Amino acid sequence: MDVLYFLESELEQALIDNLQKFLLELGKGFAFVERQQRIVTEDGDFFIDLVFYNCHLKCFLLIDLKMHKLSHQDVGQMDMYVRMYEEKKRRSDDNPTIGLIQCTDNNRTVAKYSVLNDSDHLFASKYMLELPSEEELRHQLEKERQQLLAQQGQTDNDYETIRLKVLLKLIQNHVNTI
């Protein structure tokens, strides 16, 4: 058995074991869809580590867990998963699918020169074994929310529709400060 697969599967199991806490950390409106969701194609089967759906934003969130530094292969794999999901699973009334790669270490070169740089639907972030305090997260989230609202010329009334983007940006910025 592949050692990296075994370790990724252990991380996946830990998240499933703590699913309620993990869903609360993701934010409002998330529902767990499936673990190791199988996507069948004419050339073979593919398995997405974790699939969630956000009822408020009406979009799927695909999470791929990696026990190594972000690589261009990881980005290509997630890009393919998102494209397959768009074609095979997403309903016409759903918003575009979002892909999130959780890895042990960020790779700024890959992030800068891959499709991650130009995509509003693909993200990579470093996961941590210990999260910042609740107060630190609240402060950072509010700061990110205000910046994002200002950039998009929106008001607090639009908050829920961009909540996921703020959360993902928070994850990315927190990784950069580590």
Side-chain angles (χ1 to χ4, degrees), residues 9 24 55 57 61 72 77 82 88 91-92 119 129 132 140 146 161 174:
S9 117
L24 291 172
C55 302
L57 300 175
L61 172 65
H72 64 281
Q77 180 182 18
V82 167
K88 297 183 174 291
R91 297 178 305 261
S92 61
S119 178
L129 297 177
Q140 186 66 28
Q146 292 298 332
T161 61
H174 186 42

Side-chain angles (χ1 to χ4, degrees), residues 41-73:
T41 71
E42 52 279 353
D43 294 321
D45 297 348
F46 298 89
F47 296 87
I48 302 170
D49 290 345
L50 300 169
V51 178
F52 296 90
Y53 187 80
N54 188 289
C55 302
H56 299 297
L57 300 175
K58 294 188 59 97
C59 73
F60 287 97
L61 172 65
L62 313 180
I63 298 180
D64 197 18
L65 304 170
K66 298 296 179 185
M67 297 296 290
H68 56 257
K69 187 174 185 174
L70 178 67
S71 72
H72 64 281
Q73 291 94 340

Side-chain angles (χ1 to χ4, degrees), residues 11 21 29 65 69 87 91 99 124 127 135 149 159 161 168:
L11 176 61
K21 184 178 178 183
L65 304 170
K69 187 174 185 174
E87 183 179 306
R91 297 178 305 261
Y127 57 84
E135 184 58 35
L149 288 172
Y159 176 70
T161 61
L168 293 173

